[in-house]
């Protein structure tokens, strides 16, 4: 819990940071885009499935954030569990993700504000400054996007309390406007817009719903700001899991309800993707409501910008503190208790990206980076669960243990077989029974469970957790190959039927065997911090009791 930062964030602060990171431009832009082009009114189901998938990823972040209350998010979690090399790759992946994502949101912010003033800012820039016709660069420089990023950078540099209160203000305004959208939108709702006349509820079928889910998943990527703030939380073991669950619940509810309202107000096939919500109110004759919604979208985008600029320097700080980045980024300002150098440098770089680059193509790669980070965090949770706890060495010296010493030396069954002839008294036989009982008891973390040791003796000489680590990597590889064969096997790869089904069977068997090998090893005993699977166990027990 010792840190150079100031531990001052409460559960409410973390919750609003998470809400601000998720409920941004996606609510005002993504809902209309997915509804019109991918899923139709069934975008509601897409957001529900994406919200559940995001919750599973977020709970992995919450478990790590409670257990390792240090800044750095996915980078720190990967460092703790699988080491420096993978942590370095994930750290840079997350840095680029935040930089591109923040610059993209800034350009969306400026575009939305410009549309309120009938594109006068863009026209002035093109006529007085000029345009570019260079590949990968924007058609014209966006000074408004760069300016808002520099302004946000200045506010973030004043300290965590200032940025937290600023986020509170924008998040409160955004939530109030979302509440207005829901109330007024349901009053204007027309169930006819979901009828067969307009293609029904799911005009693109199940495939459209799942395609929409893949797109909607990235509306929830901002929750990792909570994990990145764990070193500034007052009570991270309690606050991080609660803030993660509550913020994701609020965000999922907001996305689902707004999608219902949007597709009931106007027919889904007439939506304008870039400004669907404000345009829907304009078309129903309430221009003042459309202006209010546009103002709400700008507040929501401000919270996303603050979230990105809040998290990014802290990940850079964690890398610098570990010696994987320039050391001056690890300096914390003694007055504001924040890494000011990282905030200023990366805020300036983000502003340059927003000023000159066309980020539409780069943003498409964010999905790959996000999935990679989530996958490594989830895999790291499994690996860490089967690693032995670090304990203080006795007599002041740490003794190296060989695999033979770490693994169970001899099974109870073998002891019984070899020493049966030596034991003749009744007391000796009682001791033998006790030895057999101990063989069935819980083993040390990372070892084979006692029940499986007679059948998997060849795994007994491995280091604790070694088999689990290999199994996790194998399981990830099989899952990727299985999905690739399912998606590309028939069409792009033109595989014959026999090889298509053979590959499916091979990778499915590999996946199940890896899962089995993980299951037959002992996990760590109950810890005092939050754990994902124990949460679901409690929920299932509660539901059984209620039944």
């Amino acid at each position: 819990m010792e840190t150079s930062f100031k531990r001052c964030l409460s559960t409410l602060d973390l919750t609003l940071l998470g809400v601000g990171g998720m409920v941004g431009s996606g609510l005002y832009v993504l809902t209309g885009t997915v509804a019109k082009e991918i899923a139709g009114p069934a975008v509601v189901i897409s957001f529900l499935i994406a919200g559940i998938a995001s919750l599973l990823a977020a709970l992995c972040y919450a478990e790590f954030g409670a257990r390792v209350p240090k800044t750095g998010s996915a980078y720190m979690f990967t460092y703790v569990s699988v080491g420096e090399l993978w942590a370095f790759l994930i750290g840079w992946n997350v840095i680029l993700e935040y930089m591109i994502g923040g610059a993209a949101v800034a350009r969306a912010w400026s575009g939305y504000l410009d549309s309120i003033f009938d594109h006068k800012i863009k026209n002035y820039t093109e006529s007085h400054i000029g345009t570019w016709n260079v590949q990968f660069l924007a058609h014209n420089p966006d000074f408004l996007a760069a300016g808002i990023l520099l302004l946000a950078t200045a506010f973030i540099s004043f300290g965590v309390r200032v940025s937290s209160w600023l986020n509170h203000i924008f998040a409160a305004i955004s939530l109030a406007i979302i509440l207005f959208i829901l109330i007024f939108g349901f009053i204007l709702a027309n169930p006819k817009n979901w009828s067969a006349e307009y293609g029904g509820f799911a005009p693109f079928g199940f495939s459209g719903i799942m395609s929409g889910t893949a797109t909607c998943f990235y509306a929830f990527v901002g929750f990792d700001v909570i994990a990145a703030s764990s070193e500034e939380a007052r009570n991270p073991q309690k606050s991080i899991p609660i803030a993660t669950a509550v913020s994701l619940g609020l965000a999922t509810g907001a996305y689902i309800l707004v999608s219902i309202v949007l597709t009931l107000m106007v027919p889904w096939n007439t939506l304008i993707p870039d400004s669907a919500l404000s345009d829907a109110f304009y078309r129903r004759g309430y221009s003042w409501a459309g202006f209010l919604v546009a103002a709400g979208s700008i507040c929501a985008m401000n919270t996303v910008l603050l979230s990105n600029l809040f998290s990014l320097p802290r990940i850079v700080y964690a890398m610098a503190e570990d010696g994987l980045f320039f050391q001056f980024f690890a300096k914390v300002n003694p007055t504001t208790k924040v890494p000011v150098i990282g905030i200023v440098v990366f805020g300036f770089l983000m502003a340059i990206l927003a000023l000159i680059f066309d980020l539409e193509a780069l943003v498409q790669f964010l999905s790959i980076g996000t999935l990679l980070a989530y996958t490594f965090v989830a895999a790291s949770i499994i690996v860490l669960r089967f690693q032995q706890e670090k304990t203080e060495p006795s007599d002041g010296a740490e003794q190296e243990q060989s695999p033979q010493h770490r693994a169970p030396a001899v099974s109870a069954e073998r002891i019984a077989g070899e020493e049966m002839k030596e034991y003749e008294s009744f007391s000796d036989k009682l001791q033998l029974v006790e030895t057999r009982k101990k063989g069935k008891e819980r083993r040390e973390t990372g070892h084979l469970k006692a029940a499986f040791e007679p059948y998997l003796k060849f795994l007994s000489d491995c280091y604790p957790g070694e088999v689990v680590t290999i199994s996790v990597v194998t399981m990830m590889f099989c899952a990727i190959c299985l999905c690739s064969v399912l998606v590309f096997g028939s069409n792009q790869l033109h595989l014959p039927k026999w090889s298509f089904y053979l590959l499916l069977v091979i990778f499915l068997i590999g996946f199940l065997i890896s899962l089995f090998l993980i299951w037959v090893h002992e996990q760590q005993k109950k810890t005092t911090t939050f754990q994902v699977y124990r949460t679901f166990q409690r929920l299932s027990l509660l539901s059984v009791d209620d039944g």
Side-chain angles (χ1 to χ4, degrees):
M1 293 289 286
E2 293 179 5
T3 176
S4 303
F5 291 102
K6 184 179 180 181
R7 289 196 178 275
C8 59
L9 295 179
S10 64
T11 304
L12 178 63
D13 296 330
L14 292 170
T15 302
L16 289 177
L17 273 174
V19 171
M22 286 181 281
V23 182
S25 55
L27 189 75
Y28 298 91
V29 179
L30 195 63
T31 47
T33 303
V34 176
K36 182 173 182 179
E37 300 175 359
I38 302 176
V43 64
V44 176
I45 309 297
S46 297
F47 272 118
L48 177 61
I49 299 172
I52 294 170
S54 300
L55 178 64
L56 297 176
L59 290 176
C60 292
Y61 273 80
E63 178 172 334
F64 252 126
R67 187 168 178 175
V68 187
K70 290 290 184 181
T71 193
S73 187
Y75 159 77
M76 179 57 67
F77 305 154
T78 309
Y79 189 101
V80 167
S81 53
V82 294
E84 261 185 6
L85 176 62
W86 292 108
F88 180 79
L89 296 175
I90 291 296
W92 271 106
N93 176 72
V94 174
I95 288 173
L96 293 174
E97 177 189 329
Y98 274 122
M99 286 183 66
I100 296 171
V105 171
R107 288 192 73 92
W109 182 94
S110 68
Y112 225 101
L113 185 65
D114 196 24
S115 66
I116 296 175
F117 297 104
D118 198 23
H119 301 288
K120 290 181 180 178
I121 301 172
K122 179 182 177 182
N123 295 334
Y124 180 85
T125 304
E126 289 181 352
S127 58
H128 289 78
I129 297 175
T131 59
W132 301 321
N133 290 313
V134 181
Q135 195 176 9
F136 300 118
L137 295 184
H139 185 63
N140 60 283
D142 196 337
F143 291 101
L144 188 59
I148 186 62
L149 278 169
L150 293 176
L151 186 62
T153 299
F155 278 110
I156 293 290
S157 301
F158 290 140
V160 65
R161 292 308 305 170
V162 174
S163 54
S164 177
W165 278 108
L166 197 62
N167 180 75
H168 285 190
I169 294 169
F170 286 126
I173 296 172
S174 180
L175 290 173
I177 292 176
I178 290 171
L179 192 61
F180 163 78
I181 291 170
L182 296 178
I183 296 171
F184 198 37
F186 275 116
I187 294 172
L188 300 175
N190 183 6
K192 184 182 177 182
N193 292 325
W194 282 10
S195 67
E197 181 181 345
Y198 295 103
F201 178 73
F204 296 96
F206 181 74
S207 61
I209 293 174
M210 297 312 296
S211 297
T213 299
T215 305
C216 294
F217 179 76
Y218 304 106
F220 301 95
V221 298
F223 64 76
D224 56 347
V225 66
I226 299 173
S229 312
S230 56
E231 199 162 341
E232 288 152 292
R234 292 175 190 162
N235 185 7
Q237 285 79 11
K238 179 182 177 182
S239 298
I240 290 174
I242 294 174
T244 301
V246 172
S247 61
L248 251 171
L250 289 173
T252 305
Y255 276 110
I256 290 172
L257 292 173
V258 167
S259 299
I260 294 173
V261 165
L262 179 62
T263 52
L264 285 175
M265 281 177 62
V266 294
W268 63 271
N269 53 5
T270 63
L271 292 171
I272 298 176
D274 291 339
S275 55
L277 274 172
S278 58
D279 182 70
F281 283 104
Y282 278 120
R283 286 165 57 189
R284 293 300 297 268
Y286 297 95
S287 56
W288 59 271
F291 181 81
L292 196 63
V293 170
S297 70
I298 290 172
C299 288
M301 291 182 203
N302 283 338
T303 61
V304 177
L305 286 178
L306 290 172
S307 173
N308 280 2
L309 282 167
F310 187 89
S311 303
L312 177 57
R314 283 154 177 78
I315 294 168
V316 173
Y317 165 84
M319 293 180 69
E321 196 176 39
D322 292 331
L324 299 181
F325 207 53
F326 300 114
Q327 286 297 309
F328 58 82
F329 284 112
K331 293 181 180 178
V332 175
N333 186 283
T335 305
T336 59
K337 298 291 183 181
V338 293
V340 175
I341 297 175
I343 293 171
V344 172
V345 169
F346 282 90
F348 185 74
L349 290 174
M350 206 181 289
I352 293 175
L353 281 178
L355 177 68
I356 62 174
F357 279 98
D358 179 12
L359 297 163
E360 185 176 351
L362 293 175
V363 166
Q364 295 176 4
F365 289 96
L366 286 180
S367 59
I368 301 171
T370 305
L371 273 179
L372 189 64
Y374 288 0
T375 302
F376 265 88
V377 170
S380 298
I381 281 285
I382 301 172
V383 170
L384 197 63
R385 288 259 188 96
F386 291 88
Q387 288 181 359
Q388 290 187 329
E389 293 281 357
K390 302 291 188 295
T391 55
E392 289 296 324
S394 57
D395 301 326
E398 189 170 349
Q399 298 178 355
E400 284 291 328
Q401 290 184 325
S402 66
Q404 289 80 6
H405 287 117
R406 295 187 183 191
V410 186
S411 68
E413 311 298 332
R414 200 158 59 184
I415 292 174
E418 291 175 358
E419 300 186 3
M420 180 69 77
K421 297 177 182 178
E422 299 176 16
Y423 295 120
E424 294 181 359
S425 67
F426 183 69
S427 60
D428 288 338
K429 289 179 182 178
L430 283 179
Q431 290 177 5
L432 182 60
V433 171
E434 289 298 318
T435 306
R436 284 177 175 172
K437 284 183 180 179
K438 287 180 181 178
K440 296 180 181 179
E441 291 176 358
R442 183 185 178 92
R443 299 296 185 86
E444 291 296 322
T445 302
H447 293 304
L448 275 172
K449 293 178 179 177
F452 295 96
E453 188 181 356
Y455 311 102
L456 299 171
K457 286 183 179 179
F458 62 95
L459 298 177
S460 298
D461 291 336
C462 298
Y463 284 94
E466 184 180 3
V467 176
V468 173
T469 304
I470 296 170
S471 299
V472 168
V473 175
T474 306
M475 187 171 65
M476 289 167 58
F477 174 77
C478 290
I480 292 169
C481 293
L482 185 65
C483 293
S484 300
V485 171
L486 285 170
V487 174
F488 304 112
S490 299
N491 299 325
Q492 285 86 346
L493 298 178
H494 303 292
L495 293 174
K497 277 192 175 181
W498 67 268
S499 62
F500 176 80
Y501 288 115
L502 179 63
L503 288 174
L504 285 183
V505 170
I506 290 172
F507 291 127
L508 183 60
I509 290 173
F511 182 89
L512 293 176
I513 290 174
S514 302
L515 201 61
F516 173 76
L517 289 176
I518 295 171
W519 178 65
V520 299
H521 285 79
E522 291 286 0
Q523 290 194 45
Q524 288 176 354
K525 297 175 183 178
K526 289 184 180 180
T527 60
T528 55
T529 56
F530 169 81
Q531 284 189 305
V532 178
Y533 80 104
R534 298 198 188 283
T535 302
F536 288 110
Q537 281 182 339
R538 292 187 189 110
L539 289 174
S540 61
L541 288 172
L542 284 172
S543 63
V544 170
D545 292 342
D546 292 342

